[in-house]
Amino acid sequence: MSYRGRFAPSPTGQLHFGSLVAAVGSWLCARQASGQWLVRVEDIDPPREVPGSAESILAALPAFGLVADEPIVRQSQRQAAYEAAFERLRDADLVFPCWCSRSDLVASGGLHRHGFCIATSDATRLPAWRLRVPDVEIVFDDGLQGLQRQRLIDTAGDFVIKRVEGLYAYQLACVVDDADQGITEVVRGNDLLDSTPRQIWLQRCLGLPTPTYRHLPLALDEQGRKLSKSAGAFPVDPTRPASMLQRALDFLNVRLRHRDIDDAHAMLQDALSSFDPRQLPRSNSRLA
C-alpha cells in the first residue's frame, strides 16, 4: 500500500506553532515517501469548539505551502460511520452501558476495570458506553519515541467510546477515520502517545489495520508548559509565513540548503530535498 499520512487538527483555536509543527512534520514524511497527505478536521466535540476555528485553520495551511491531496474530511459529518462501528462492537458484546459517576470510581483510582457497570442502572438518564478492556499489554514501536508498552487495564481501564450526551469519543472516531482514509502512518504530537494503545486495541476489536506511528516532541514555552496551553501561544500569522515555517523546520531538525528563501512553497521543497525522517528529534518535548 502506498504511503498515506494526515494532519488532524481540533478546532479549539487558531493554528498555533505546535500544530504547525505537526502539520509540517506529517507533510514532510508523506512527501518524502512519495505519498499522499490528507487533512481531517476533528470536530467531534462541539462543546470544546471555538466558532470559526476550523475555517481559520484550513485557510492558514495553504499559506504555509500545505495543501491536502484530497477533499477535507470533517468528523462532524461522519456520525453514520461511528454508529456502524459502535454497533459492531455492541453486537460482539465488547461494550457495555455505564452509569458510574466519578465518585463511584474513586476506590479504583478513577478507572473502570470491571467489564460491567458497578453502579445501579438508571432508566431516567442515558448511560455512557465503555469498551471492555481485558488484562492485555499493548506493545508497539514508535518511529521516534521507541518501544512502548502499556497495560490498558492499569492505564485506561474500560474506557468510554460513547458519551452520555450521545457524542462518540475521540478514540473511536480517530480509529474509524484512519482506517476509512487508508492512513498508513500517523505523525502527530507526543501528547497523543498515551492514546495510541487504546486506539490499537480498538483497531483489533474492529478488525482494522494498525498504521505505524511517529510522535513528534511537544513544543514548550520557557516555563516548560505545552505551547498550546501557554499564555504566549499566539496564533501563527499566515500573512507572514516564511519566518514561522523556518522556525518549525528548525524545531524538527530540518536544515535548508538556502536560508534566504522567503517563499513558503519553495522553502518546503528545499527542506524536502534533504529530508530524512530518521533525523527528526526523538525527545518527548523541546523548547519552541
Side-chain angles (χ1 to χ4, degrees):
M1 181 181 294
S2 61
Y3 187 107
R4 287 170 66 84
R6 48 77 159 178
F7 172 58
S10 298
T12 55
Q14 298 183 60
L15 187 70
H16 59 79
F17 180 73
S19 294
L20 179 62
V21 165
V24 172
S26 61
W27 186 93
L28 285 171
C29 287
R31 290 292 182 259
Q32 189 271 340
S34 300
Q36 294 181 304
W37 185 73
L38 312 182
V39 173
R40 179 172 77 228
V41 178
E42 295 194 330
D43 53 351
I44 193 68
D45 192 356
R48 294 183 62 242
E49 290 176 31
V50 174
S53 173
E55 290 70 21
S56 172
I57 293 171
L58 295 177
L61 290 174
F64 292 94
L66 303 168
V67 179
D69 294 313
E70 294 182 4
I72 307 300
V73 169
R74 294 175 182 260
Q75 288 186 334
S76 58
Q77 299 172 357
R78 289 184 44 76
Q79 296 302 304
Y82 310 145
E83 183 70 27
F86 172 75
E87 291 300 330
R88 286 170 59 191
L89 294 171
R90 185 159 66 171
D91 290 345
D93 197 29
L94 294 175
V95 296
F96 61 93
C98 184
W99 288 267
C100 287
S101 65
R102 292 183 180 178
S103 60
D104 291 324
L105 302 177
V106 168
S108 58
L111 297 181
H112 199 298
R113 297 191 179 98
H114 308 280
F116 59 89
C117 183
I118 61 174
T120 303
S121 61
D122 185 348
T124 66
R125 60 188 179 95
L126 294 173
W129 286 82
R130 294 180 181 271
L131 185 72
R132 300 184 200 277
V133 174
D135 187 1
V136 61
E137 183 180 54
I138 302 296
V139 180
F140 68 100
D141 191 11
D142 186 83
L144 289 176
Q145 305 303 326
L147 188 66
Q148 304 293 314
R149 297 178 180 272
Q150 190 180 106
R151 290 183 72 238
L152 283 181
I153 199 169
D154 293 333
T155 57
D158 305 317
F159 57 93
V160 172
I161 62 167
K162 188 176 184 180
R163 290 161 42 178
V164 171
E165 312 95 306
L167 299 174
Y168 287 101
Y170 162 75
Q171 309 295 355
L172 179 67
C174 180
V175 162
V176 171
D177 289 341
D178 281 343
D180 285 357
Q181 291 187 286
I183 300 302
T184 59
E185 181 177 60
V186 174
V187 180
R188 60 189 179 186
N190 198 49
D191 53 336
L192 290 168
L193 180 64
D194 187 61
S195 289
T196 306
R198 278 172 280 175
Q199 294 174 10
I200 291 174
W201 181 245
L202 263 172
Q203 289 157 0
R204 294 178 185 176
C205 291
L206 289 165
L208 300 176
T210 295
T212 57
Y213 292 92
R214 197 184 301 266
H215 285 86
L216 302 167
L218 293 182
L220 304 181
D221 66 12
E222 293 182 353
Q223 285 72 47
R225 296 171 298 186
K226 180 182 174 184
L227 198 61
S228 62
K229 305 294 184 184
S230 169
F234 298 106
V236 296
D237 185 357
T239 67
R240 302 176 63 185
S243 61
M244 194 58 67
L245 182 57
Q246 175 69 75
R247 183 179 168 194
L249 291 168
D250 288 343
F251 182 90
L252 292 169
N253 288 345
V254 179
R255 299 293 176 251
L256 295 175
R257 294 180 303 167
H258 305 94
R259 300 286 295 190
D260 57 347
I261 301 173
D262 60 4
D263 176 78
H265 295 270
M267 189 179 295
L268 282 179
Q269 293 304 315
D270 186 282
L272 185 60
S273 66
S274 60
F275 175 69
D276 184 345
R278 294 173 296 181
Q279 295 177 351
L280 290 168
R282 294 178 177 273
S283 58
N284 294 328
S285 59
R286 64 191 316 195
L287 290 177

